[in-house]
């Protein structure tokens, strides 16, 4: 089904905004175990990838600011649950009740907290964040980019579910592959500066995921992937070598998934 003129214009405008507005450069803080726990909590609460990714962004920003303030994080389990609760209210698919948050908290930590305690923790997190939640979400960026590409290339079957699964895996393992990729750019300050610009570019990750899909599915027989890579490189002003380095790292991550 083709998009309406309004939808097409909206996608074009959103893509332009992605290209012109950089994300904030930040290095991963959560380790894989914490990311997996957060994902499991989201699954238990029936929250989708939007809430999972948004929760990671909020929690890492909170931890970063608490570190800058030289303050310890008391009650990590409650903090994690309150973060998911905040995310669900902002971007979730359903209206979560505090009793469900409290129930899951008992399951993962044995803690029993009141709705008031949970509310106070939410308020403390928001206060540390100056009541400003992250505006950039990789899920929306990826979805917008892929929808636009699908429309323009007339792909018959949507590849969004597969791309979202890859994005989820990249977030689960981000503390590992991010720094492995960074090593490739640590030869000098100029190279490191390039890496930071890449990680701030909101098109970099979506393009890497798209190219990985085309390189490792049957689509590789339907499209000239090299031509697509060169075309994306020109439009994004990201060198082909940088795109290929990301695709290679995504391949490493996916290859580590147990069959």
């Amino acid at each position: 089904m083709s998009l309406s003129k309004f939808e097409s214009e909206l996608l074009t405008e959103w893509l332009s905004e992605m290209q012109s507005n950089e994300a904030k450069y930040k290095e991963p803080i959560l380790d894989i175990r914490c990311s997996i726990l957060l994902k499991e909590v989201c699954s238990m609460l029936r929250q989708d990838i939007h809430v999972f990714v948004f929760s990671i962004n909020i929690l890492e920003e909170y931890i970063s600011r608490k570190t800058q303030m030289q303050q310890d994080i008391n009650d990590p389990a409650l903090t994690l649950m309150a973060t998911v609760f905040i995310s669900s209210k902002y971007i979730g698919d359903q209206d979560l009740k505090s009793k469900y948050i409290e129930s899951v908290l008992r399951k993962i930590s044995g803690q029993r907290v009141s709705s008031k305690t949970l509310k106070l923790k939410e308020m403390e997190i928001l206060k540390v964040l100056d009541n400003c939640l992250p505006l950039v979400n990789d899920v929306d960026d990826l979805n917008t980019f892929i929808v636009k590409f699908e429309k323009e290339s007339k792909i018959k079957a949507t590849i969004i579910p597969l791309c979202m699964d890859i994005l989820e895996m990249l977030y689960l393992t981000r503390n590992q592959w991010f720094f492995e990729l960074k090593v490739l750019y640590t030869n000098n300050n100029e190279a490191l500066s390039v890496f930071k610009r890449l990680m701030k570019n909101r098109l970099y990750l979506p393009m890497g995921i798209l190219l990985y899909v085309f390189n490792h599915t049957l689509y590789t027989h339907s499209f000239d992937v090299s031509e697509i890579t060169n075309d994306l490189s020109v439009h994004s002003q990201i060198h082909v070598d940088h795109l290929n380095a990301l695709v290679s790292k995504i391949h490493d991550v996916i290859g580590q998934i147990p069959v």
Side-chain angles (χ1 to χ4, degrees):
M1 180 182 296
S2 60
L3 299 178
S4 66
K5 180 180 179 181
F6 172 75
E7 290 173 324
S8 181
E9 290 176 349
L10 187 62
L11 281 173
T12 300
E13 181 180 343
W14 196 341
L15 183 60
S16 176
E17 193 267 339
M18 286 169 59
Q19 290 175 296
S20 59
N21 294 327
E22 291 183 331
K24 176 183 177 182
Y25 175 77
K26 55 182 180 179
E27 299 191 343
I29 296 175
L30 301 181
D31 61 23
I32 294 178
R33 291 175 300 174
C34 186
S35 297
I36 291 175
L37 176 59
L38 203 156
K39 171 57 184 169
E40 290 177 348
V41 166
C42 287
S43 296
M44 293 170 70
L45 294 169
R46 299 182 181 178
Q47 299 300 302
D48 67 8
I49 188 174
H50 284 84
V51 174
F52 169 60
V53 168
F54 202 61
S55 296
I56 284 186
N57 292 337
I58 290 176
L59 190 54
E60 290 195 329
E61 183 66 22
Y62 172 75
I63 294 172
S64 176
R65 295 197 184 194
K66 291 286 280 188
T67 301
Q68 292 172 9
M69 298 161 64
Q70 297 183 327
Q71 295 180 1
D72 294 329
I73 297 177
N74 55 4
D75 207 333
L78 177 59
T79 299
L80 185 148
M81 295 304 304
T83 300
V84 173
F85 202 20
I86 292 171
S87 299
S88 71
K89 293 176 181 178
Y90 185 80
I91 202 169
D93 293 331
Q94 67 181 52
D95 183 19
L96 267 185
K97 305 298 182 184
S98 61
K99 63 181 180 180
Y100 298 126
I101 297 290
E102 296 160 22
S103 175
V104 172
L105 181 59
R106 285 197 300 272
K107 290 180 180 179
I108 66 173
S109 69
Q111 293 177 255
R112 293 182 177 271
V113 298
S114 64
S115 297
K116 180 179 179 180
T117 299
L118 177 60
K119 186 66 177 180
L120 288 173
K121 174 53 71 172
E122 288 183 80
M123 293 172 62
E124 190 267 337
I125 292 173
L126 291 172
K127 181 179 179 181
V128 170
L129 298 180
D130 297 325
N131 294 312
C132 295
L133 298 178
L135 296 177
V136 175
N137 189 306
D138 284 336
V139 177
D140 292 329
D141 284 350
L142 176 59
N143 187 67
T144 303
F145 177 76
I146 299 300
V147 167
K148 180 173 175 58
F149 190 91
E150 285 182 341
K151 178 179 181 296
E152 292 177 344
S153 59
K154 298 181 180 179
I155 294 177
K156 294 182 179 180
T158 182
I159 58 175
I160 288 179
L162 175 58
C163 290
M164 290 298 169
D165 286 344
I166 294 172
L167 178 64
E168 180 178 285
M169 182 55 59
L170 291 176
Y171 258 82
L172 284 169
T173 60
R174 192 171 58 153
N175 193 277
Q176 180 177 335
W177 66 261
F178 182 98
F179 293 108
E180 290 176 350
L181 187 61
K182 182 181 178 181
V183 168
L184 302 178
Y185 294 86
T186 54
N187 291 331
N188 52 61
N189 290 334
E190 183 179 352
L192 188 57
S193 178
V194 169
F195 174 77
K196 291 182 178 180
R197 288 200 302 270
L198 289 171
M199 299 312 298
K200 291 193 299 181
N201 191 317
R202 291 169 60 187
L203 284 174
Y204 185 52
L205 198 57
M207 286 193 297
I209 293 173
L210 177 69
L211 292 175
Y212 172 82
V213 168
F214 284 163
N215 273 291
H216 297 89
T217 65
L218 292 177
Y219 280 111
T220 191
H221 303 299
S222 304
F223 296 102
D224 186 333
V225 181
S226 294
E227 182 179 344
I228 292 175
T229 304
N230 290 329
D231 187 54
L232 291 176
S233 174
V234 170
H235 285 87
S236 65
Q237 297 184 334
I238 297 176
H239 196 278
V240 170
D241 289 348
H242 300 311
L243 294 175
N244 288 334
L246 178 58
V247 171
S248 177
K249 185 52 59 180
I250 294 174
H251 180 64
D252 292 342
V253 171
I254 302 303
Q256 295 172 6
I257 301 176
V259 177

